[in-house]
């Protein structure tokens, strides 16, 4: 069973959502200093890229 482009984008979207939420969680619960803001900002960036991957799923 081969994977087509939509399946690859779906897996990439889910992986990026998991990484994004974990980075936001690290920024909120582990690092209370300025580094926490950086972790949360990178997590939001991961979620934005995952949103783009999800939007591209039927078009590529």
């Amino acid at each position: 069973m081969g994977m087509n482009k939509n399946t690859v984008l779906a897996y990439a979207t889910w992986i990026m959502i998991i990484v994004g939420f974990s980075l936001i969680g690290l920024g909120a619960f582990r690092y209370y200093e300025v580094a926490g803001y950086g972790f949360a900002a990178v997590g939001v960036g991961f979620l934005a890229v995952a949103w783009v991957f999800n939007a591209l799923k039927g078009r590529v």
Side-chain angles (χ1 to χ4, degrees):
M1 182 179 111
M3 291 183 5
N4 59 8
K5 292 179 279 190
N6 289 332
T7 308
V8 171
L9 282 173
Y11 280 129
T13 301
W14 280 110
I15 290 170
M16 294 202 65
I17 287 172
I18 291 168
V19 171
F21 279 134
S22 64
L23 284 172
I24 291 171
L26 276 174
F29 298 117
R30 175 70 173 98
Y31 298 106
Y32 297 112
E33 296 87 20
V34 178
Y37 296 123
F39 273 97
V42 170
V44 170
F46 267 87
L47 291 179
V49 173
W51 181 27
V52 169
F53 279 175
N54 191 27
L56 287 175
K57 216 171 6 184
R59 305 185 192 286
V60 176

